[in-house]
Amino acid sequence: MFRESDNTTSYSLFDNPWDLVNARTAKKYEDPKAWCNVFFDQVTSKINERIFAPLFSDNGMGAPNASIRILVAMSIIKEGFQMSDEVLIDRCDADIVIRRALGLMNLSDSCPSIDTYYLFRRRICDYADETGENLMERCFKRLTAFQASKFKIQGKAVRMDSKLI
């Protein structure tokens, strides 16, 4: 049965990575304009997990064993940075900036395994083959609509100075 993951982040007293680095580095990564914080705020935290509920509720496969929000954000980061799956998993385990972008705020927070990541992607593909509906596309359309609204992007006119001819 599908269940949404908790969208709140809480810091642990003992395993907050920002307490373990020097003040300059901590200030840099706590900057609200740092890409990891913008990504978490504008993408990871806005992913609607309910879109992916059919992958888990109708086929008797049970609940997801990792946050769908994190799995989708991992896919976006993978494509955005042009990483292989193995590099993505390594970076999610060890890179505190990538972890922050995913919402893994504490050192004790675990990143989904590569098997969980593969299973999620396979379920999305199988669902698309069976129904013709691309759940990732629905998710991206919702994210794009949210961002267009937030940043007041209309897209009704194309400026010639921003067009490559």
Side-chain angles (χ1 to χ4, degrees), residues 12-165:
S12 169
L13 182 61
F14 301 109
D15 61 356
N16 182 351
W18 313 114
D19 292 337
L20 304 174
V21 296
N22 66 42
R24 187 185 72 211
T25 303
K27 183 178 178 185
K28 177 181 172 184
Y29 293 123
E30 289 176 347
D31 177 7
K33 293 181 183 177
W35 83 264
C36 57
N37 296 320
V38 172
F39 187 88
F40 178 75
D41 183 51
Q42 301 300 322
V43 179
T44 305
S45 65
K46 302 298 188 256
I47 292 171
N48 183 356
E49 292 181 323
R50 286 258 165 233
I51 291 171
F52 300 94
L55 299 178
F56 301 96
S57 57
D58 294 339
N59 59 11
M61 294 299 284
N65 62 353
S67 167
I68 292 174
R69 186 175 292 110
I70 290 175
L71 291 167
V72 172
M74 286 171 64
S75 296
I76 296 168
I77 287 172
K78 175 191 182 296
E79 295 302 323
F81 286 107
Q82 300 176 346
M83 298 179 199
S84 68
D85 294 337
E86 291 78 14
V87 170
L88 171 69
I89 297 301
D90 287 343
R91 297 276 306 271
C92 290
D93 283 335
D95 187 332
I96 59 174
V97 176
I98 298 280
R99 292 176 61 81
R100 188 166 183 103
L102 295 174
L104 302 171
M105 302 300 185
N106 297 307
L107 294 174
S108 61
D109 294 340
S110 62
C111 176
S113 71
I114 197 164
D115 294 331
T116 300
Y117 182 72
Y118 285 153
L119 178 61
F120 179 66
R121 287 185 9 195
R122 183 172 54 227
R123 284 184 179 179
I124 289 172
C125 292
D126 291 347
Y127 185 81
D129 289 343
E130 292 170 9
T131 65
E133 183 179 12
N134 185 335
L135 298 178
M136 289 294 268
E137 183 178 348
R138 271 184 60 199
C139 180
F140 289 148
K141 282 183 180 179
R142 186 176 185 282
L143 282 172
T144 303
F146 162 75
Q147 291 168 355
S149 171
K150 179 173 175 76
F151 298 114
K152 297 176 179 57
I153 298 170
Q154 306 231 341
K156 293 181 180 176
V158 176
R159 293 179 14 199
M160 288 306 292
D161 63 341
S162 63
K163 194 80 168 161
L164 293 174
I165 299 177

